[in-house]
Amino acid sequence: MPFDAAPAAGPTSLDAFLASVERRGFRMAELALGHREDALDAVQEAMIKLVGYRDRPPAEWTPLFWAILRRQVTDRHRRNGVRQKVMAILGRDEDSREDPLEMLPDPNEDPARRHADGAAWAALGKAVRRLPRRQREAYLLRELQGLDVAETAAAMGCSEGSVKTHLSRAMAALRIHLEQWR
């Protein structure tokens, strides 16, 4: 019996696909938003919305998921901006959103390495959040998520040339902001 078809390149069930992008989606959202809880909420909402498209072919799930997550991140940026303005009017500090359990040390990890890794991650997150929205999206989708140019263009709703331009500008800005980490 001849073997006519090659195995599928990606997950064929929606559950397997969501499991494969969950961690990467969280990391991207956390970098973009700067808060763990907001990132978890954004990824959860993106996954829920993707379930509505479960009848689409599996090849469309990747760019569709990243486009949905990108919109979730943008919406959360807007909401957080309004929340900060309201809190400023009320005279309350919104920066105390850190989870106290996150502050406990991990007994399985070297404290110096954990500190260095945390500092590097925070610096990258701060530099990424300084980028203009489209540059930030292009960087997160291409470099951190590993999408190709066509998938990134589909997720961002722009041309492949625009993706390349946004990514080039983002990389140049990040080189400047992260010079001390070289």
Side-chain angles (χ1 to χ4, degrees):
M1 177 179 213
F3 186 71
D4 295 76
T12 56
S13 76
L14 188 58
D15 289 339
F17 172 76
L18 292 174
S20 74
V21 296
E22 177 181 20
R23 189 176 221 39
R24 292 181 297 142
F26 169 71
R27 285 297 189 196
M28 182 185 128
E30 185 180 38
L31 265 179
L33 295 168
H35 293 102
R36 184 177 192 280
E37 294 79 18
D38 287 345
L40 288 169
D41 289 345
V43 171
Q44 180 179 8
E45 289 296 321
M47 289 179 161
I48 290 169
K49 288 185 188 255
L50 185 65
V51 170
Y53 297 98
R54 66 183 164 271
D55 295 334
R56 294 225 180 151
E60 293 181 15
W61 291 343
T62 299
L64 186 57
F65 173 76
W66 295 113
I68 293 169
L69 182 59
R70 180 181 60 83
R71 287 189 297 272
Q72 287 294 320
V73 167
T74 300
D75 289 347
R76 292 207 179 272
H77 272 294
R78 288 185 189 129
R79 279 188 226 135
N80 288 345
V82 170
R83 182 183 303 135
Q84 288 171 354
K85 288 177 185 174
V86 169
M87 291 301 197
I89 291 170
L90 297 175
R92 295 190 179 144
D93 183 18
E94 184 65 17
D95 291 336
S96 61
R97 298 176 64 177
E98 192 68 36
D99 183 2
L101 293 178
E102 292 270 329
M103 303 304 289
L104 293 174
D106 184 357
N108 299 324
E109 194 172 333
D110 176 30
R113 175 150 174 98
R114 179 185 168 132
H115 177 72
D117 289 348
W121 185 254
L124 176 62
K126 186 175 181 182
V128 167
R129 285 188 294 279
R130 283 184 182 170
L131 295 173
R133 183 178 62 89
R134 299 297 277 178
Q135 290 178 20
R136 181 177 55 241
E137 292 168 356
Y139 174 78
L140 292 171
L141 292 171
R142 283 282 291 136
E143 296 300 318
L144 290 181
Q145 302 309 321
L147 271 62
D148 64 26
V149 175
E151 290 172 329
T152 304
M156 290 178 64
C158 63
S159 71
E160 291 181 19
S162 292
V163 168
K164 293 175 184 177
T165 300
H166 291 310
L167 181 61
S168 173
R169 291 177 181 166
M171 295 298 281
L174 288 174
R175 276 187 207 98
I176 292 168
H177 291 302
L178 298 173
E179 182 65 32
Q180 67 183 358
W181 291 94
R182 280 189 171 197

